Amino acid sequence: RLQESRERLSVCSKLCYAVGGAPYQITGCALGFFLQIYLLDVAQVDAFYASIILFAGRVWDAITDPMVGFFISKTSWTRFGRLMPWIMFSTPFAIICYFLIWFVPDISTGQVIWYLVFYCAFQTLVTCFHVPYSALTMFISREQSERDSATAYRMTVEVLGTVLGTAIQGQIVGKVDTPCIERPFFLGLTNSSVAMEELNMTHDTESLTDTRNAYMIAAGVIGGLYVLCALILLLGVREKRESSELQSDEPVSFLQGLKLVMNHGPYIKLIAGFLFASLAFMLLEGNFALFCTYTLGFRNEFQNILLAIMLSATLTIPCWQWFLTRFGKKTAVYVGISSAIPFLIVVVVVDSNLFVTYVVAVAAGVSVAAAFLLPWSMLPDVVDDFKLQHPGSHGHEAIFFSFYVFFTKFTAGVSLGISTLSLDFAGYQTRGCSQPGQVNLTLKMLVSAVPVGLILLSLLLFKLYPIDEEKRRKNKKALQDLREESNSSSESDNTELASIV
């Protein structure tokens, strides 16, 4: 009981830890919902090149996760910890790169290179923040219940971060009326590219100035929140080296640890299930703004619809935390993720209706909350199961978390690049007030049919995941016995050494 009381985290510590998850979600949500429409309609990057930027940025982001995980595993402990210095030094450079993503350079050529360089640079720097932060879960306490509780705090704040990202970006940008181009104006001309060029020459500079300024203001506000949250995390959380290590552990090389991790069956089955579920929601996230603007015709309402999704997700995170403690995590996965399916079907089957769209947004937010909470609540269980099977191996927490993020980001990059490229093939028209029928059909597939198929596939994969509630309780007890045995052995050695002295 004394040991458990020492491992308990105060509410203040949990809140400070949770706040550290907000920067990644605030910036990620703003980029996920708005970068595609920003590149296409504000920066006026060709859809083909926009797909390259989005694809390359996400894939590079995925590649940097295991790279950062590797370097973290080689980092020596300092008086600030092993993970905290990464968070500390990456923050200021990440803010600079994030602001420059939302800046339209006054250059005729090289615009694609500009966005590609700063998008990839920001993804690298935010990875240097988020991978060590994710691994920090295992270094704040040895008690599984405390880690689960801290994770629930974290998920609530992270979903709140998505609300902030959506609200700040959406409301600031939404206040500005971005002008569109009526298709009949240039469809009747013999050379539509010449018409577009002439139209841009006369209307582009003046009409888009306010919109571009709004994006930069939003970037400045979000950057300030990023710094504030990082400071709260650094000042309010203490990284505990002993929380994750058994005293008898011996270090294992990164490659050997990577091989052990990738051969751990429960881990592979868990990330495979969440891989397809995350992919479904990322497709929905990346294309929903275009879907609301063009397919549903809610050009002036899409930011409020996005906000409804995120608010619903934030409010239901505590409900899912209660549900998983009451009915188990696997049951929460089945109920939570599958609940989005009927509403994703309704939004494309029913004629465009604002009330129905808001109902679907609220319902989708409930499922988004489950998809946010459950992976980070279940990954520590897999790490504990791994430790029981490999008690002499430690220091691989960053590998577990970084490779999970790697797989989800890599597939998200591929899907987002392909979806943007699909819009280009369908005939997407930059700044058009409406889009051709093929574009609208493509958007319906990207936000409904494909996500539903991916969710169903993920639910089938979760049937293979072996760690249920009974297995989790057995692992907790066995790990506690192993730690007590290790501590008692260490105390016996110390006593024997003292008697000899």
Side-chain angles (χ1 to χ4, degrees):
R1 286 195 298 269
L2 179 61
Q3 179 67 27
E4 290 180 358
S5 65
R6 289 176 179 174
E7 290 293 335
R8 290 193 179 279
L9 298 172
S10 66
V11 174
C12 181
S13 295
K14 292 177 184 178
L15 285 173
C16 291
Y17 165 75
V19 166
Y24 179 78
Q25 298 300 337
I26 293 174
T27 56
C29 190
L31 289 168
F33 278 126
F34 292 93
L35 183 58
Q36 185 185 49
I37 197 170
Y38 166 81
L39 291 175
L40 293 174
D41 288 356
V42 180
Q44 298 187 73
V45 177
D46 182 82
F48 174 76
Y49 293 112
S51 69
I52 293 176
I53 294 170
L54 295 171
F55 168 74
R58 287 297 186 101
V59 171
W60 176 250
D61 185 22
I63 294 172
T64 57
D65 281 284
M67 290 172 56
V68 171
F70 170 78
F71 289 119
I72 289 174
S73 69
K74 296 298 182 182
T75 302
S76 301
W77 281 84
T78 67
R79 65 190 184 96
F80 300 107
R82 189 173 70 177
L83 305 174
M84 288 299 191
W86 286 83
I87 296 172
M88 186 185 309
F89 292 112
S90 65
T91 296
F93 300 103
I95 298 305
I96 295 172
C97 291
Y98 181 78
F99 181 80
L100 293 176
I101 290 173
W102 302 104
F103 176 76
V104 180
D106 188 16
I107 51 177
S108 57
T109 59
Q111 193 178 38
V112 174
I113 301 299
W114 172 281
Y115 290 114
L116 186 60
V117 167
F118 286 110
Y119 187 35
C120 290
F122 173 74
Q123 298 289 20
T124 302
L125 292 164
V126 80
T127 297
C128 292
F129 183 105
H130 193 250
V131 169
Y133 172 75
S134 299
L136 190 62
T137 307
M138 304 301 298
F139 291 87
I140 57 177
S141 176
R142 284 189 296 193
E143 284 297 313
Q144 189 182 76
S145 59
E146 290 299 300
R147 295 201 305 258
D148 285 347
S149 177
T151 299
Y153 276 81
R154 170 191 166 187
M155 291 301 106
T156 302
V157 173
E158 285 197 357
V159 179
L160 181 61
T162 64
V163 173
L164 287 174
T166 306
I168 293 170
Q169 190 85 9
Q171 297 303 314
I172 292 177
V173 172
K175 296 295 183 184
V176 180
D177 184 21
T178 303
C180 62
I181 301 170
E182 293 289 346
R183 291 176 58 226
F185 178 84
F186 55 82
L187 285 180
L189 299 179
T190 57
N191 192 333
S192 60
S193 61
V194 173
M196 286 294 295
E197 183 178 354
E198 291 177 355
L199 196 60
N200 288 337
M201 289 288 292
T202 55
H203 296 286
D204 178 49
T205 304
E206 293 183 4
S207 63
L208 287 181
T209 299
D210 291 341
T211 304
R212 292 172 176 175
N213 289 339
Y215 273 99
M216 286 189 288
I217 292 171
V221 174
I222 289 175
L225 286 175
Y226 192 117
V227 173
L228 178 62
C229 292
L231 287 174
I232 292 173
L233 173 67
L234 293 169
L235 297 175
V237 176
R238 185 170 70 90
E239 184 181 346
K240 301 175 183 178
R241 182 175 187 174
E242 68 278 4
S243 291
S244 179
E245 298 179 5
L246 299 176
Q247 295 185 13
S248 60
D249 286 345
E250 295 294 334
V252 179
S253 68
F254 176 83
L255 292 179
Q256 186 177 353
L258 178 61
K259 183 179 179 180
L260 290 173
V261 168
M262 290 303 164
N263 287 330
H264 190 57
Y267 178 65
I268 297 300
K269 292 168 184 174
L270 182 70
I271 63 174
F274 278 117
L275 179 69
F276 291 103
S278 300
L279 190 54
F281 289 107
M282 287 179 181
L283 270 176
L284 181 64
E285 175 189 77
N287 295 281
F288 197 73
L290 291 174
F291 177 74
C292 288
T293 300
Y294 295 113
T295 305
L296 297 182
F298 303 138
R299 176 178 292 272
N300 297 322
E301 286 288 335
F302 80 88
Q303 68 272 11
N304 297 323
I305 298 170
L306 297 178
L307 187 58
I309 295 175
M310 295 299 107
L311 281 173
S312 173
T314 303
L315 295 174
T316 51
I317 280 282
C319 299
W320 284 118
Q321 176 63 19
W322 170 84
F323 189 95
L324 67 86
T325 57
R326 179 68 177 82
F327 300 101
K329 296 179 182 180
K330 284 190 70 173
T331 304
V333 167
Y334 296 139
V335 176
I337 295 179
S338 64
S339 63
I341 292 177
F343 298 99
L344 292 178
I345 296 173
V346 166
V347 77
V348 297
V349 172
V350 177
D351 292 337
S352 178
N353 183 289
L354 187 59
F355 175 76
V356 172
T357 304
Y358 272 108
V359 171
V360 170
V362 172
V366 175
S367 191
V368 167
F372 262 86
L373 174 64
L374 290 166
W376 302 109
S377 180
M378 297 170 78
L379 274 171
D381 299 338
V382 174
V383 176
D384 286 343
D385 186 74
F386 175 84
K387 287 181 178 181
L388 286 174
Q389 296 188 26
H390 306 279
S393 179
H394 73 88
H396 308 309
E397 293 82 4
I399 298 176
F400 277 97
F401 288 91
S402 64
F403 269 87
Y404 165 71
V405 177
F406 165 78
F407 287 119
T408 55
K409 287 181 177 179
F410 182 83
T411 53
V414 173
S415 66
L416 192 56
I418 291 175
S419 65
T420 308
L421 199 58
S422 299
L423 293 174
D424 184 38
F425 289 150
Y428 181 86
Q429 295 169 356
T430 301
R431 293 182 62 195
C433 293
S434 60
Q435 296 293 337
Q438 288 184 328
V439 172
N440 292 325
L441 177 61
T442 302
L443 287 170
K444 287 181 179 180
M445 296 292 293
L446 292 173
V447 302
S448 180
V450 178
V452 167
L454 292 170
I455 289 173
L456 291 174
L457 182 57
S458 72
L459 294 176
L460 290 176
L461 291 171
F462 277 121
K463 294 288 290 184
L464 304 175
Y465 179 65
I467 303 178
D468 54 16
E469 288 306 297
E470 182 179 358
K471 175 72 171 175
R472 194 167 70 91
R473 285 192 292 267
K474 289 180 179 178
N475 284 352
K476 178 182 178 181
K477 186 178 185 306
L479 193 60
Q480 184 176 354
D481 292 341
L482 189 61
R483 282 171 175 153
E484 290 176 355
E485 180 182 348
S486 174
N487 291 335
S488 63
S489 174
S490 177
E491 290 173 2
S492 176
D493 292 341
N494 291 337
T495 303
E496 183 179 352
L497 179 61
S499 64
I500 294 173
V501 174

